[in-house]
Amino acid sequence: MRRGKKYTDAKKRFDDQHLHATHEAIELVKTLAPARFDETVELAVRLGVDPRKADQMVRGTVGLPSGTGRDVRVAVFAAGELAQEAREAGADVVGADDLIAQVESGMLDFDVAIATPDLMPQVGKLGRVLGPRGLMPNPKTGTVTTDVGKAVGDFKGGKVEYRTDRHGNVHVPVGKVSFSTGDLVANVRAVLEELERAKPAAAKGRYFKRITVSSTMGPGVKIDPARMYETEPVAS
C-alpha cells in the first residue's frame, strides 16, 4: 500500500523496530501524528491464539477509564417499556420491527447495536448485514440484555468491544491524539489487563506476541510486552 509523504516523513523520525514502554510509545505517537484533524489512537495486539478454534476465540468488552473521545451512536432493538428506557438513556435509534426493516433496507448509521433477548430471533435474521461489520448483538459483549439503560450508558461512556480477527489480532481505539499521555496510557493499560484476564485456558506459549500503537494516519510504534505495565510519571 502506498503511503503519503507525511507518513513517510514521520516514519523516518524514529526507530520503528525499537520496543518501548507504553508511556514512551504513546508520547511518540502523539508527536508523530501527521494529520491536521484530531486523529484516533489505536492499539493493535497480536495474541498467541488460534481463533479458528472455538476455545481460543477472545472476545468481550472493556471500559476505557478516559473515554473514547468520540460520539458513539447506539441503536437499540427493543419494544415497550424497555424501548422507552433506551431512549431516556440516550440511545440514538430505538425500535423493534420498524428498526429491523430499516436495517434490512441499508440503514447502518450506528456504531453499537443492543437488543433485548425477546427480539433476538428477529434481529438474528440481520446477521448477514450486521455480522461482517461487527455490529451483531451478542450476550458475551453485553449487547443482548434487558438492562438496556445501563448498556446504552456504558457504551456512550467509553465501553468498547474487542475480538480477535482470523489472524489473532485485536484492534481497539483507545482515545484521541489530543488526550493527555496519562489518559491514553490508562486506556491502553485497561485494554491490556482485560485481554490478559480473557486469556483462553487452551492458549499455549507466548500470549502477547506483538503490541503496536498508532494514530489514524501515523506509523505504528511497538510496545515491549515485558514493559507494557511499566509506569512512570508523565506530563499531560
Side-chain angles (χ1 to χ4, degrees):
M1 182 173 63
R2 187 175 180 178
R3 299 288 191 175
K5 185 178 184 299
K6 289 183 178 180
Y7 175 94
T8 304
D9 290 345
K11 197 164 184 178
K12 291 177 181 176
R13 290 162 52 194
F14 76 110
D15 179 358
D16 63 359
Q17 296 304 307
H18 183 74
L19 297 177
H20 300 267
T22 299
H23 62 87
E24 296 169 350
I26 291 296
E27 288 172 348
L28 254 179
V29 166
K30 285 169 65 68
T31 61
L32 294 170
R36 294 181 180 178
F37 63 90
D38 192 9
E39 299 179 53
T40 294
V41 177
E42 183 176 90
L43 179 69
V45 185
R46 178 68 176 269
L47 297 175
V49 298
D50 183 353
R52 294 173 299 177
K53 298 178 179 177
D55 60 354
Q56 293 191 46
M57 170 63 80
V58 179
R59 181 177 187 177
T61 57
V62 56
L64 301 181
S66 308
T68 63
R70 65 191 184 101
D71 181 22
V72 179
R73 288 185 58 80
V74 179
V76 179
F77 296 93
E81 292 182 1
L82 292 180
Q84 183 59 32
E85 181 183 328
R87 292 188 186 94
E88 292 174 354
D92 299 277
V93 190
V94 182
D97 292 341
D98 55 335
L99 180 54
I100 291 170
Q102 288 179 54
V103 173
E104 285 179 329
S105 298
M107 195 287 286
L108 291 166
D109 187 22
F110 49 89
D111 306 297
V112 177
I114 296 167
T116 54
D118 60 307
L119 286 182
M120 276 309 293
Q122 296 99 298
V123 175
K125 297 173 184 177
L126 300 174
R128 288 186 179 180
V129 179
L130 299 178
R133 295 169 174 79
L135 293 172
M136 192 67 187
N138 188 300
K140 291 182 179 179
T141 60
T143 49
V144 176
T145 178
T146 54
D147 196 351
V148 292
K150 181 178 185 303
V152 170
D154 285 347
F155 282 101
K156 286 280 191 181
K159 191 175 188 179
V160 295
E161 292 188 46
Y162 65 85
R163 64 181 297 174
T164 46
D165 63 18
R166 60 196 180 99
H167 301 295
N169 298 305
V170 174
H171 296 269
V172 182
V174 291
K176 296 287 187 178
V177 168
S178 61
F179 280 24
S180 71
T181 299
D183 283 346
L184 287 169
V185 168
N187 281 351
V188 169
R189 183 174 184 130
V191 174
L192 294 175
E193 287 177 344
E194 168 60 21
L195 291 176
E196 193 161 27
R197 185 202 64 76
K199 179 181 179 180
K204 306 299 180 186
R206 191 154 54 98
Y207 184 53
F208 288 103
K209 288 194 167 185
R210 186 169 62 245
I211 306 173
T212 307
V213 66
S214 65
S215 65
T216 304
M217 306 297 288
V221 179
K222 293 182 172 64
I223 293 175
D224 185 349
R227 301 175 66 197
M228 62 186 187
Y229 295 142
E230 185 177 302
T231 59
E232 178 179 301
V234 292
S236 297

